[in-house]
mmCIF file with all atom_site columns, all heavy atoms in Angstrom:
data_model
loop_
_atom_site.group_PDB
_atom_site.id
_atom_site.type_symbol
_atom_site.label_atom_id
_atom_site.label_alt_id
_atom_site.label_comp_id
_atom_site.label_asym_id
_atom_site.label_entity_id
_atom_site.label_seq_id
_atom_site.pdbx_PDB_ins_code
_atom_site.Cartn_x
_atom_site.Cartn_y
_atom_site.Cartn_z
_atom_site.occupancy
_atom_site.B_iso_or_equiv
_atom_site.pdbx_formal_charge
_atom_site.auth_seq_id
_atom_site.auth_comp_id
_atom_site.auth_asym_id
_atom_site.auth_atom_id
_atom_site.pdbx_PDB_model_num
ATOM 1   N N   . CYS A 1 87  ? 3.145   3.325   -8.540  1.00 90.00 ? 87  CYS A N   1
ATOM 2   C CA  . CYS A 1 87  ? 3.049   1.874   -8.441  1.00 90.00 ? 87  CYS A CA  1
ATOM 3   C C   . CYS A 1 87  ? 1.752   1.398   -9.117  1.00 90.00 ? 87  CYS A C   1
ATOM 4   O O   . CYS A 1 87  ? 1.761   0.646   -10.078 1.00 90.00 ? 87  CYS A O   1
ATOM 5   C CB  . CYS A 1 87  ? 3.091   1.440   -7.007  1.00 90.00 ? 87  CYS A CB  1
ATOM 6   S SG  . CYS A 1 87  ? 2.999   -0.278  -6.723  1.00 90.00 ? 87  CYS A SG  1
ATOM 7   N N   . SER A 1 90  ? -6.057  2.435   -8.561  1.00 91.00 ? 90  SER A N   1
ATOM 8   C CA  . SER A 1 90  ? -7.244  1.556   -8.726  1.00 91.00 ? 90  SER A CA  1
ATOM 9   C C   . SER A 1 90  ? -8.392  2.095   -7.907  1.00 91.00 ? 90  SER A C   1
ATOM 10  O O   . SER A 1 90  ? -8.314  3.191   -7.381  1.00 91.00 ? 90  SER A O   1
ATOM 11  C CB  . SER A 1 90  ? -6.869  0.134   -8.338  1.00 91.00 ? 90  SER A CB  1
ATOM 12  O OG  . SER A 1 90  ? -7.903  -0.727  -8.720  1.00 91.00 ? 90  SER A OG  1
ATOM 13  N N   . GLY A 1 91  ? -9.414  1.280   -7.820  1.00 91.00 ? 91  GLY A N   1
ATOM 14  C CA  . GLY A 1 91  ? -10.592 1.719   -7.092  1.00 91.00 ? 91  GLY A CA  1
ATOM 15  C C   . GLY A 1 91  ? -11.130 0.628   -6.188  1.00 91.00 ? 91  GLY A C   1
ATOM 16  O O   . GLY A 1 91  ? -10.736 -0.524  -6.270  1.00 91.00 ? 91  GLY A O   1
ATOM 17  N N   . ILE A 1 127 ? -8.414  1.344   6.760   1.00 77.00 ? 127 ILE A N   1
ATOM 18  C CA  . ILE A 1 127 ? -7.619  1.982   7.797   1.00 77.00 ? 127 ILE A CA  1
ATOM 19  C C   . ILE A 1 127 ? -8.039  3.459   7.933   1.00 77.00 ? 127 ILE A C   1
ATOM 20  O O   . ILE A 1 127 ? -8.183  3.993   9.016   1.00 77.00 ? 127 ILE A O   1
ATOM 21  C CB  . ILE A 1 127 ? -6.132  1.841   7.527   1.00 77.00 ? 127 ILE A CB  1
ATOM 22  C CG1 . ILE A 1 127 ? -5.704  0.381   7.679   1.00 77.00 ? 127 ILE A CG1 1
ATOM 23  C CG2 . ILE A 1 127 ? -5.297  2.725   8.448   1.00 77.00 ? 127 ILE A CG2 1
ATOM 24  C CD1 . ILE A 1 127 ? -4.343  0.076   7.219   1.00 77.00 ? 127 ILE A CD1 1
ATOM 25  N N   . ARG A 1 139 ? -0.964  4.391   -5.328  1.00 91.00 ? 139 ARG A N   1
ATOM 26  C CA  . ARG A 1 139 ? 0.205   4.084   -4.498  1.00 91.00 ? 139 ARG A CA  1
ATOM 27  C C   . ARG A 1 139 ? 1.452   4.684   -5.161  1.00 91.00 ? 139 ARG A C   1
ATOM 28  O O   . ARG A 1 139 ? 1.700   4.448   -6.342  1.00 91.00 ? 139 ARG A O   1
ATOM 29  C CB  . ARG A 1 139 ? 0.361   2.592   -4.340  1.00 91.00 ? 139 ARG A CB  1
ATOM 30  C CG  . ARG A 1 139 ? 1.341   2.301   -3.242  1.00 91.00 ? 139 ARG A CG  1
ATOM 31  C CD  . ARG A 1 139 ? 1.399   0.888   -2.778  1.00 91.00 ? 139 ARG A CD  1
ATOM 32  N NE  . ARG A 1 139 ? 2.673   0.777   -2.056  1.00 91.00 ? 139 ARG A NE  1
ATOM 33  C CZ  . ARG A 1 139 ? 2.864   1.194   -0.834  1.00 91.00 ? 139 ARG A CZ  1
ATOM 34  N NH1 . ARG A 1 139 ? 1.877   1.752   -0.183  1.00 91.00 ? 139 ARG A NH1 1
ATOM 35  N NH2 . ARG A 1 139 ? 4.036   1.082   -0.264  1.00 91.00 ? 139 ARG A NH2 1
ATOM 36  N N   . LYS A 1 152 ? -5.856  7.897   -0.787  1.00 91.00 ? 152 LYS A N   1
ATOM 37  C CA  . LYS A 1 152 ? -7.215  7.541   -1.144  1.00 91.00 ? 152 LYS A CA  1
ATOM 38  C C   . LYS A 1 152 ? -8.076  8.784   -1.218  1.00 91.00 ? 152 LYS A C   1
ATOM 39  O O   . LYS A 1 152 ? -7.801  9.780   -0.572  1.00 91.00 ? 152 LYS A O   1
ATOM 40  C CB  . LYS A 1 152 ? -7.812  6.641   -0.097  1.00 91.00 ? 152 LYS A CB  1
ATOM 41  C CG  . LYS A 1 152 ? -7.225  5.257   -0.020  1.00 91.00 ? 152 LYS A CG  1
ATOM 42  C CD  . LYS A 1 152 ? -8.026  4.477   0.981   1.00 91.00 ? 152 LYS A CD  1
ATOM 43  C CE  . LYS A 1 152 ? -7.476  3.089   1.139   1.00 91.00 ? 152 LYS A CE  1
ATOM 44  N NZ  . LYS A 1 152 ? -8.317  2.337   2.085   1.00 91.00 ? 152 LYS A NZ  1
ATOM 45  N N   . HIS A 1 175 ? -3.793  2.791   -15.985 1.00 92.00 ? 175 HIS A N   1
ATOM 46  C CA  . HIS A 1 175 ? -4.492  2.465   -14.741 1.00 92.00 ? 175 HIS A CA  1
ATOM 47  C C   . HIS A 1 175 ? -5.819  3.185   -14.660 1.00 92.00 ? 175 HIS A C   1
ATOM 48  O O   . HIS A 1 175 ? -6.823  2.649   -14.185 1.00 92.00 ? 175 HIS A O   1
ATOM 49  C CB  . HIS A 1 175 ? -3.598  2.886   -13.530 1.00 92.00 ? 175 HIS A CB  1
ATOM 50  C CG  . HIS A 1 175 ? -2.384  2.000   -13.350 1.00 92.00 ? 175 HIS A CG  1
ATOM 51  N ND1 . HIS A 1 175 ? -2.520  0.736   -12.836 1.00 92.00 ? 175 HIS A ND1 1
ATOM 52  C CD2 . HIS A 1 175 ? -1.094  2.170   -13.616 1.00 92.00 ? 175 HIS A CD2 1
ATOM 53  C CE1 . HIS A 1 175 ? -1.335  0.196   -12.763 1.00 92.00 ? 175 HIS A CE1 1
ATOM 54  N NE2 . HIS A 1 175 ? -0.445  1.064   -13.257 1.00 92.00 ? 175 HIS A NE2 1
ATOM 55  N N   . GLU A 1 178 ? -8.244  1.505   -16.883 1.00 91.00 ? 178 GLU A N   1
ATOM 56  C CA  . GLU A 1 178 ? -8.734  0.274   -16.238 1.00 91.00 ? 178 GLU A CA  1
ATOM 57  C C   . GLU A 1 178 ? -9.796  0.594   -15.211 1.00 91.00 ? 178 GLU A C   1
ATOM 58  O O   . GLU A 1 178 ? -10.835 -0.054  -15.129 1.00 91.00 ? 178 GLU A O   1
ATOM 59  C CB  . GLU A 1 178 ? -7.550  -0.491  -15.625 1.00 91.00 ? 178 GLU A CB  1
ATOM 60  C CG  . GLU A 1 178 ? -7.944  -1.921  -15.265 1.00 91.00 ? 178 GLU A CG  1
ATOM 61  C CD  . GLU A 1 178 ? -6.871  -2.626  -14.453 1.00 91.00 ? 178 GLU A CD  1
ATOM 62  O OE1 . GLU A 1 178 ? -5.778  -2.049  -14.244 1.00 91.00 ? 178 GLU A OE1 1
ATOM 63  O OE2 . GLU A 1 178 ? -7.105  -3.760  -14.054 1.00 91.00 ? 178 GLU A OE2 1
ATOM 64  N N   . TYR A 1 197 ? -9.207  -3.647  -21.562 1.00 87.00 ? 197 TYR A N   1
ATOM 65  C CA  . TYR A 1 197 ? -9.269  -5.114  -21.639 1.00 87.00 ? 197 TYR A CA  1
ATOM 66  C C   . TYR A 1 197 ? -10.510 -5.580  -22.392 1.00 87.00 ? 197 TYR A C   1
ATOM 67  O O   . TYR A 1 197 ? -10.465 -6.539  -23.145 1.00 87.00 ? 197 TYR A O   1
ATOM 68  C CB  . TYR A 1 197 ? -9.338  -5.705  -20.227 1.00 87.00 ? 197 TYR A CB  1
ATOM 69  C CG  . TYR A 1 197 ? -8.072  -5.576  -19.422 1.00 87.00 ? 197 TYR A CG  1
ATOM 70  C CD1 . TYR A 1 197 ? -8.103  -5.225  -18.094 1.00 87.00 ? 197 TYR A CD1 1
ATOM 71  C CD2 . TYR A 1 197 ? -6.843  -5.877  -20.037 1.00 87.00 ? 197 TYR A CD2 1
ATOM 72  C CE1 . TYR A 1 197 ? -6.952  -5.118  -17.377 1.00 87.00 ? 197 TYR A CE1 1
ATOM 73  C CE2 . TYR A 1 197 ? -5.698  -5.755  -19.296 1.00 87.00 ? 197 TYR A CE2 1
ATOM 74  C CZ  . TYR A 1 197 ? -5.753  -5.385  -17.959 1.00 87.00 ? 197 TYR A CZ  1
ATOM 75  O OH  . TYR A 1 197 ? -4.589  -5.302  -17.226 1.00 87.00 ? 197 TYR A OH  1
ATOM 76  N N   . LYS A 1 209 ? -19.679 -4.115  -7.175  1.00 80.00 ? 209 LYS A N   1
ATOM 77  C CA  . LYS A 1 209 ? -20.203 -5.275  -6.441  1.00 80.00 ? 209 LYS A CA  1
ATOM 78  C C   . LYS A 1 209 ? -21.568 -5.709  -6.948  1.00 80.00 ? 209 LYS A C   1
ATOM 79  O O   . LYS A 1 209 ? -21.975 -6.845  -6.702  1.00 80.00 ? 209 LYS A O   1
ATOM 80  C CB  . LYS A 1 209 ? -20.279 -4.909  -4.935  1.00 80.00 ? 209 LYS A CB  1
ATOM 81  C CG  . LYS A 1 209 ? -18.922 -4.764  -4.320  1.00 80.00 ? 209 LYS A CG  1
ATOM 82  C CD  . LYS A 1 209 ? -18.301 -6.097  -4.074  1.00 80.00 ? 209 LYS A CD  1
ATOM 83  C CE  . LYS A 1 209 ? -16.947 -5.938  -3.439  1.00 80.00 ? 209 LYS A CE  1
ATOM 84  N NZ  . LYS A 1 209 ? -16.216 -7.206  -3.335  1.00 80.00 ? 209 LYS A NZ  1
ATOM 85  N N   . ASP A 1 234 ? -17.802 -27.094 5.943   1.00 53.00 ? 234 ASP A N   1
ATOM 86  C CA  . ASP A 1 234 ? -18.941 -27.488 6.775   1.00 53.00 ? 234 ASP A CA  1
ATOM 87  C C   . ASP A 1 234 ? -19.118 -28.988 6.863   1.00 53.00 ? 234 ASP A C   1
ATOM 88  O O   . ASP A 1 234 ? -19.498 -29.555 7.875   1.00 53.00 ? 234 ASP A O   1
ATOM 89  C CB  . ASP A 1 234 ? -20.231 -26.884 6.221   1.00 53.00 ? 234 ASP A CB  1
ATOM 90  C CG  . ASP A 1 234 ? -20.522 -25.559 6.880   1.00 53.00 ? 234 ASP A CG  1
ATOM 91  O OD1 . ASP A 1 234 ? -19.814 -25.263 7.840   1.00 53.00 ? 234 ASP A OD1 1
ATOM 92  O OD2 . ASP A 1 234 ? -21.414 -24.836 6.398   1.00 53.00 ? 234 ASP A OD2 1
ATOM 93  N N   . ARG B 2 314 ? -10.280 -23.475 10.036  1.00 76.00 ? 314 ARG B N   1
ATOM 94  C CA  . ARG B 2 314 ? -11.023 -22.511 9.254   1.00 76.00 ? 314 ARG B CA  1
ATOM 95  C C   . ARG B 2 314 ? -10.360 -21.153 9.334   1.00 76.00 ? 314 ARG B C   1
ATOM 96  O O   . ARG B 2 314 ? -10.054 -20.688 10.430  1.00 76.00 ? 314 ARG B O   1
ATOM 97  C CB  . ARG B 2 314 ? -12.420 -22.316 9.827   1.00 76.00 ? 314 ARG B CB  1
ATOM 98  C CG  . ARG B 2 314 ? -13.395 -23.282 9.368   1.00 76.00 ? 314 ARG B CG  1
ATOM 99  C CD  . ARG B 2 314 ? -14.679 -22.798 9.959   1.00 76.00 ? 314 ARG B CD  1
ATOM 100 N NE  . ARG B 2 314 ? -15.706 -23.781 9.839   1.00 76.00 ? 314 ARG B NE  1
ATOM 101 C CZ  . ARG B 2 314 ? -16.991 -23.435 9.712   1.00 76.00 ? 314 ARG B CZ  1
ATOM 102 N NH1 . ARG B 2 314 ? -17.301 -22.165 9.672   1.00 76.00 ? 314 ARG B NH1 1
ATOM 103 N NH2 . ARG B 2 314 ? -17.886 -24.386 9.617   1.00 76.00 ? 314 ARG B NH2 1
ATOM 104 N N   . ARG B 2 316 ? -10.519 -17.427 9.261   1.00 81.00 ? 316 ARG B N   1
ATOM 105 C CA  . ARG B 2 316 ? -11.399 -16.256 9.231   1.00 81.00 ? 316 ARG B CA  1
ATOM 106 C C   . ARG B 2 316 ? -10.497 -15.037 9.455   1.00 81.00 ? 316 ARG B C   1
ATOM 107 O O   . ARG B 2 316 ? -10.042 -14.768 10.563  1.00 81.00 ? 316 ARG B O   1
ATOM 108 C CB  . ARG B 2 316 ? -12.443 -16.356 10.347  1.00 81.00 ? 316 ARG B CB  1
ATOM 109 C CG  . ARG B 2 316 ? -13.517 -15.309 10.265  1.00 81.00 ? 316 ARG B CG  1
ATOM 110 C CD  . ARG B 2 316 ? -14.405 -15.350 11.471  1.00 81.00 ? 316 ARG B CD  1
ATOM 111 N NE  . ARG B 2 316 ? -15.391 -16.409 11.371  1.00 81.00 ? 316 ARG B NE  1
ATOM 112 C CZ  . ARG B 2 316 ? -16.622 -16.189 10.857  1.00 81.00 ? 316 ARG B CZ  1
ATOM 113 N NH1 . ARG B 2 316 ? -16.955 -15.038 10.439  1.00 81.00 ? 316 ARG B NH1 1
ATOM 114 N NH2 . ARG B 2 316 ? -17.491 -17.205 10.818  1.00 81.00 ? 316 ARG B NH2 1
ATOM 115 N N   . GLU B 2 321 ? -7.157  -3.985  5.856   1.00 88.00 ? 321 GLU B N   1
ATOM 116 C CA  . GLU B 2 321 ? -6.562  -3.941  4.506   1.00 88.00 ? 321 GLU B CA  1
ATOM 117 C C   . GLU B 2 321 ? -5.052  -4.002  4.624   1.00 88.00 ? 321 GLU B C   1
ATOM 118 O O   . GLU B 2 321 ? -4.467  -3.542  5.635   1.00 88.00 ? 321 GLU B O   1
ATOM 119 C CB  . GLU B 2 321 ? -7.002  -2.675  3.770   1.00 88.00 ? 321 GLU B CB  1
ATOM 120 C CG  . GLU B 2 321 ? -6.724  -1.375  4.494   1.00 88.00 ? 321 GLU B CG  1
ATOM 121 C CD  . GLU B 2 321 ? -7.233  -0.146  3.766   1.00 88.00 ? 321 GLU B CD  1
ATOM 122 O OE1 . GLU B 2 321 ? -7.611  -0.272  2.598   1.00 88.00 ? 321 GLU B OE1 1
ATOM 123 O OE2 . GLU B 2 321 ? -7.318  0.894   4.404   1.00 88.00 ? 321 GLU B OE2 1
ATOM 124 N N   . TRP B 2 323 ? -1.238  -4.063  2.122   1.00 90.00 ? 323 TRP B N   1
ATOM 125 C CA  . TRP B 2 323 ? -0.562  -4.019  0.842   1.00 90.00 ? 323 TRP B CA  1
ATOM 126 C C   . TRP B 2 323 ? 0.816   -4.624  1.003   1.00 90.00 ? 323 TRP B C   1
ATOM 127 O O   . TRP B 2 323 ? 1.574   -4.228  1.873   1.00 90.00 ? 323 TRP B O   1
ATOM 128 C CB  . TRP B 2 323 ? -0.446  -2.575  0.331   1.00 90.00 ? 323 TRP B CB  1
ATOM 129 C CG  . TRP B 2 323 ? 0.667   -2.377  -0.655  1.00 90.00 ? 323 TRP B CG  1
ATOM 130 C CD1 . TRP B 2 323 ? 1.915   -1.897  -0.419  1.00 90.00 ? 323 TRP B CD1 1
ATOM 131 C CD2 . TRP B 2 323 ? 0.599   -2.711  -2.058  1.00 90.00 ? 323 TRP B CD2 1
ATOM 132 N NE1 . TRP B 2 323 ? 2.611   -1.913  -1.585  1.00 90.00 ? 323 TRP B NE1 1
ATOM 133 C CE2 . TRP B 2 323 ? 1.851   -2.386  -2.627  1.00 90.00 ? 323 TRP B CE2 1
ATOM 134 C CE3 . TRP B 2 323 ? -0.403  -3.223  -2.905  1.00 90.00 ? 323 TRP B CE3 1
ATOM 135 C CZ2 . TRP B 2 323 ? 2.158   -2.562  -3.931  1.00 90.00 ? 323 TRP B CZ2 1
ATOM 136 C CZ3 . TRP B 2 323 ? -0.095  -3.403  -4.246  1.00 90.00 ? 323 TRP B CZ3 1
ATOM 137 C CH2 . TRP B 2 323 ? 1.172   -3.093  -4.747  1.00 90.00 ? 323 TRP B CH2 1
ATOM 138 N N   . PHE B 2 347 ? -12.475 -9.338  0.299   1.00 85.00 ? 347 PHE B N   1
ATOM 139 C CA  . PHE B 2 347 ? -13.549 -8.451  -0.174  1.00 85.00 ? 347 PHE B CA  1
ATOM 140 C C   . PHE B 2 347 ? -13.100 -7.769  -1.467  1.00 85.00 ? 347 PHE B C   1
ATOM 141 O O   . PHE B 2 347 ? -13.873 -7.617  -2.407  1.00 85.00 ? 347 PHE B O   1
ATOM 142 C CB  . PHE B 2 347 ? -13.834 -7.386  0.910   1.00 85.00 ? 347 PHE B CB  1
ATOM 143 C CG  . PHE B 2 347 ? -14.881 -6.397  0.520   1.00 85.00 ? 347 PHE B CG  1
ATOM 144 C CD1 . PHE B 2 347 ? -16.212 -6.753  0.533   1.00 85.00 ? 347 PHE B CD1 1
ATOM 145 C CD2 . PHE B 2 347 ? -14.520 -5.107  0.134   1.00 85.00 ? 347 PHE B CD2 1
ATOM 146 C CE1 . PHE B 2 347 ? -17.194 -5.822  0.180   1.00 85.00 ? 347 PHE B CE1 1
ATOM 147 C CE2 . PHE B 2 347 ? -15.504 -4.171  -0.203  1.00 85.00 ? 347 PHE B CE2 1
ATOM 148 C CZ  . PHE B 2 347 ? -16.825 -4.542  -0.197  1.00 85.00 ? 347 PHE B CZ  1
ATOM 149 N N   . ARG B 2 348 ? -11.838 -7.394  -1.528  1.00 87.00 ? 348 ARG B N   1
ATOM 150 C CA  . ARG B 2 348 ? -11.294 -6.791  -2.720  1.00 87.00 ? 348 ARG B CA  1
ATOM 151 C C   . ARG B 2 348 ? -9.818  -7.188  -2.779  1.00 87.00 ? 348 ARG B C   1
ATOM 152 O O   . ARG B 2 348 ? -9.152  -7.213  -1.744  1.00 87.00 ? 348 ARG B O   1
ATOM 153 C CB  . ARG B 2 348 ? -11.424 -5.274  -2.658  1.00 87.00 ? 348 ARG B CB  1
ATOM 154 C CG  . ARG B 2 348 ? -10.545 -4.506  -3.662  1.00 87.00 ? 348 ARG B CG  1
ATOM 155 C CD  . ARG B 2 348 ? -11.375 -4.041  -4.831  1.00 87.00 ? 348 ARG B CD  1
ATOM 156 N NE  . ARG B 2 348 ? -10.600 -3.197  -5.738  1.00 87.00 ? 348 ARG B NE  1
ATOM 157 C CZ  . ARG B 2 348 ? -9.999  -3.663  -6.837  1.00 87.00 ? 348 ARG B CZ  1
ATOM 158 N NH1 . ARG B 2 348 ? -10.010 -4.920  -7.141  1.00 87.00 ? 348 ARG B NH1 1
ATOM 159 N NH2 . ARG B 2 348 ? -9.361  -2.847  -7.644  1.00 87.00 ? 348 ARG B NH2 1
ATOM 160 N N   . ARG B 2 352 ? -1.329  -5.882  -8.507  1.00 91.00 ? 352 ARG B N   1
ATOM 161 C CA  . ARG B 2 352 ? -0.433  -5.006  -9.255  1.00 91.00 ? 352 ARG B CA  1
ATOM 162 C C   . ARG B 2 352 ? 0.630   -5.874  -9.896  1.00 91.00 ? 352 ARG B C   1
ATOM 163 O O   . ARG B 2 352 ? 1.435   -6.526  -9.214  1.00 91.00 ? 352 ARG B O   1
ATOM 164 C CB  . ARG B 2 352 ? 0.222   -4.003  -8.275  1.00 91.00 ? 352 ARG B CB  1
ATOM 165 C CG  . ARG B 2 352 ? 0.893   -2.847  -8.945  1.00 91.00 ? 352 ARG B CG  1
ATOM 166 C CD  . ARG B 2 352 ? 2.337   -3.096  -9.270  1.00 91.00 ? 352 ARG B CD  1
ATOM 167 N NE  . ARG B 2 352 ? 2.909   -1.871  -9.863  1.00 91.00 ? 352 ARG B NE  1
ATOM 168 C CZ  . ARG B 2 352 ? 4.020   -1.849  -10.584 1.00 91.00 ? 352 ARG B CZ  1
ATOM 169 N NH1 . ARG B 2 352 ? 4.664   -2.936  -10.867 1.00 91.00 ? 352 ARG B NH1 1
ATOM 170 N NH2 . ARG B 2 352 ? 4.486   -0.719  -11.056 1.00 91.00 ? 352 ARG B NH2 1
ATOM 171 N N   . ASN B 2 357 ? 2.789   -2.169  -16.220 1.00 89.00 ? 357 ASN B N   1
ATOM 172 C CA  . ASN B 2 357 ? 3.464   -0.904  -16.301 1.00 89.00 ? 357 ASN B CA  1
ATOM 173 C C   . ASN B 2 357 ? 4.655   -0.972  -17.266 1.00 89.00 ? 357 ASN B C   1
ATOM 174 O O   . ASN B 2 357 ? 4.932   -0.015  -17.973 1.00 89.00 ? 357 ASN B O   1
ATOM 175 C CB  . ASN B 2 357 ? 3.966   -0.469  -14.925 1.00 89.00 ? 357 ASN B CB  1
ATOM 176 C CG  . ASN B 2 357 ? 2.888   0.143   -14.081 1.00 89.00 ? 357 ASN B CG  1
ATOM 177 O OD1 . ASN B 2 357 ? 1.806   -0.411  -13.990 1.00 89.00 ? 357 ASN B OD1 1
ATOM 178 N ND2 . ASN B 2 357 ? 3.130   1.312   -13.512 1.00 89.00 ? 357 ASN B ND2 1
ATOM 179 N N   . ILE B 2 388 ? 0.171   -9.093  -17.829 1.00 87.00 ? 388 ILE B N   1
ATOM 180 C CA  . ILE B 2 388 ? -0.433  -7.810  -18.214 1.00 87.00 ? 388 ILE B CA  1
ATOM 181 C C   . ILE B 2 388 ? -1.947  -7.913  -18.000 1.00 87.00 ? 388 ILE B C   1
ATOM 182 O O   . ILE B 2 388 ? -2.584  -7.023  -17.407 1.00 87.00 ? 388 ILE B O   1
ATOM 183 C CB  . ILE B 2 388 ? -0.165  -7.498  -19.701 1.00 87.00 ? 388 ILE B CB  1
ATOM 184 C CG1 . ILE B 2 388 ? 1.329   -7.458  -19.994 1.00 87.00 ? 388 ILE B CG1 1
ATOM 185 C CG2 . ILE B 2 388 ? -0.809  -6.182  -20.111 1.00 87.00 ? 388 ILE B CG2 1
ATOM 186 C CD1 . ILE B 2 388 ? 1.655   -7.283  -21.445 1.00 87.00 ? 388 ILE B CD1 1
ATOM 187 N N   . ARG B 2 390 ? -3.959  -10.379 -16.563 1.00 80.00 ? 390 ARG B N   1
ATOM 188 C CA  . ARG B 2 390 ? -4.456  -10.901 -15.302 1.00 80.00 ? 390 ARG B CA  1
ATOM 189 C C   . ARG B 2 390 ? -5.747  -11.673 -15.422 1.00 80.00 ? 390 ARG B C   1
ATOM 190 O O   . ARG B 2 390 ? -6.776  -11.195 -15.771 1.00 80.00 ? 390 ARG B O   1
ATOM 191 C CB  . ARG B 2 390 ? -4.606  -9.822  -14.246 1.00 80.00 ? 390 ARG B CB  1
ATOM 192 C CG  . ARG B 2 390 ? -3.349  -9.104  -13.933 1.00 80.00 ? 390 ARG B CG  1
ATOM 193 C CD  . ARG B 2 390 ? -3.468  -8.222  -12.746 1.00 80.00 ? 390 ARG B CD  1
ATOM 194 N NE  . ARG B 2 390 ? -4.393  -7.143  -12.914 1.00 80.00 ? 390 ARG B NE  1
ATOM 195 C CZ  . ARG B 2 390 ? -4.128  -6.009  -13.542 1.00 80.00 ? 390 ARG B CZ  1
ATOM 196 N NH1 . ARG B 2 390 ? -2.939  -5.852  -14.020 1.00 80.00 ? 390 ARG B NH1 1
ATOM 197 N NH2 . ARG B 2 390 ? -5.016  -5.052  -13.656 1.00 80.00 ? 390 ARG B NH2 1
#
Side-chain angles (χ1 to χ4, degrees):
Chain A
C87 180
S90 190
I127 292 170
R139 193 168 162 78
K152 291 185 181 182
H175 288 286
E178 194 189 356
Y197 290 137
K209 290 284 180 186
D234 267 351
Chain B
R314 275 187 193 211
R316 189 188 280 269
E321 55 184 345
W323 158 261
F347 178 77
R348 164 101 175 94
R352 193 270 184 200
N357 280 49
I388 302 174
R390 300 191 294 280

